[in-house]
Amino acid sequence: MKKSIFISGAAQGIGAAIARLFYQQGYKVGIYDINQSQAQILADQLGPHAKAGLLDVANYEQWQTALHEFVAWAGELNILVNNAGILYSGDFEKIAINDHYRTIDINVKGVLNGCHAALPFLKKANFARVINLSSASAIYGQADLVSYSASKFAVRGITEGLDTEWKKYGIRVLDVMPLFVQTAMVKDMDAGSIQNMGVDLTPQDVAEQVLALAQAKGNILTTTHRPVGFKTKVMFTLSSISPQFLNRLSNIYLSRKA
């Protein structure tokens, strides 16, 4: 039986790249998104082993409906990818408070909802893994991206906690941590860090790392976090060994605007 993957926010960007890559690798692919019509277009392009559906990740009942529907079609749930996310950038006080709330609803509650609703299905599968989309913004809090950065710290914490807790079920919970990726989400972004660090990664770069985590052998040796790209790997490594004041100074430098 083909292994299956369920991807949230899969109609475009990174999620769509993950869907395409896993389909090419022979997986049954669930393309779920709040934009169901766009998700259906991608599923039709891929072929009969792709299924599209509606999913607002902030809505727990929609998660339950979507997962039941997907497992009935695919047979079991092997890989859950919590990809859906949004980003607001700019001065903290100039971003409407409801937009800060929406960031938490989608980026944090969406991951909590997905993991919670998917666990009964993951426990029944012969092989199960959760892969969350975190970010280099979860390495150190980012100016002009405060709520987004905070949401990705939360994703990092959820990943670490569940990767430990769900060991009893034989389920690994992992994340990928890319820097800025060439998607619509970073278009016209108002943050010094993107001006100084650039946008070097493509959705395909991230998708390939998700595939590597999904197929990694040896649960003990697979690390919980997977920085994506050279810059992120350097930042992730240095943050773990540098004094706190140096991390702060380097982030002040990186966040300066032209």
Side-chain angles (χ1 to χ4, degrees):
M1 185 170 70
K2 286 177 177 286
K3 287 183 180 177
S4 69
I5 181 171
F6 181 105
I7 311 157
S8 70
Q12 61 183 338
I14 294 171
I18 295 169
R20 291 189 187 97
L21 182 58
F22 275 79
Y23 195 92
Q24 292 165 4
Q25 294 294 316
Y27 284 73
K28 290 184 176 180
V29 178
I31 302 167
Y32 282 74
D33 200 283
I34 198 166
N35 187 338
Q36 186 175 6
S37 60
Q38 192 169 351
Q40 188 62 58
I41 290 171
L42 178 57
D44 291 341
Q45 290 172 350
L46 292 179
H49 298 300
K51 179 174 178 57
L54 174 67
L55 178 62
D56 174 358
V57 295
N59 186 315
Y60 187 74
E61 288 72 25
Q62 284 194 21
W63 268 105
Q64 292 177 305
T65 299
L67 287 166
H68 275 96
E69 173 188 278
F70 175 74
V71 172
W73 172 78
E76 66 178 15
L77 172 63
N78 299 117
I79 309 290
L80 168 66
V81 177
N82 285 304
N83 167 75
I86 60 169
L87 178 153
Y88 292 97
S89 63
D91 295 344
F92 176 78
E93 67 275 14
K94 292 180 181 177
I95 298 172
I97 193 63
N98 284 335
D99 289 337
H100 287 298
Y101 293 161
R102 186 165 181 259
T103 300
I104 301 304
D105 283 343
I106 294 173
N107 295 7
V108 181
K109 290 183 181 178
V111 174
L112 289 171
N113 285 341
C115 291
H116 196 278
L119 180 59
F121 302 104
L122 294 168
K123 287 167 66 175
K124 293 177 182 177
N126 291 322
F127 172 87
R129 203 161 272 186
V130 177
I131 303 172
N132 297 323
L133 266 291
S134 185
S135 167
S137 296
I139 297 173
Y140 195 93
Q142 296 296 297
D144 305 314
L145 293 168
V146 171
S147 53
Y148 176 79
S149 183
S151 74
K152 294 304 181 180
F153 268 95
V155 172
R156 178 174 177 171
I158 293 165
T159 302
E160 291 174 355
L162 288 182
D163 193 31
T164 301
E165 184 176 332
W166 286 0
K167 182 178 182 296
K168 61 192 174 188
Y169 303 129
I171 300 170
R172 289 300 307 271
V173 183
L174 312 168
D175 66 29
V176 290
M177 303 177 74
L179 197 57
F180 304 114
V181 182
Q182 297 167 16
T183 66
M185 195 163 74
V186 302
K187 187 179 180 181
D188 301 322
M189 204 172 101
D190 179 20
S193 53
I194 194 170
Q195 297 171 16
N196 294 307
M197 298 293 287
V199 185
D200 300 325
L201 296 173
T202 66
Q204 183 69 18
D205 293 327
V206 181
E208 288 172 358
Q209 293 304 310
V210 172
L211 179 65
L213 288 179
Q215 297 183 339
K217 307 294 184 183
N219 273 340
I220 294 175
L221 297 178
T222 303
T223 57
T224 307
H225 303 299
R226 177 68 65 95
V228 182
F230 176 75
K231 292 177 183 177
T232 314
K233 290 175 183 176
V234 171
M235 292 167 60
F236 187 77
T237 301
L238 290 178
S239 70
S240 64
I241 61 176
S242 299
Q244 188 178 134
F245 80 91
L246 192 58
N247 289 331
R248 180 174 182 272
L249 288 175
S250 63
N251 276 274
I252 289 174
Y253 175 78
L254 290 172
S255 65
R256 75 197 190 288
K257 293 183 180 179

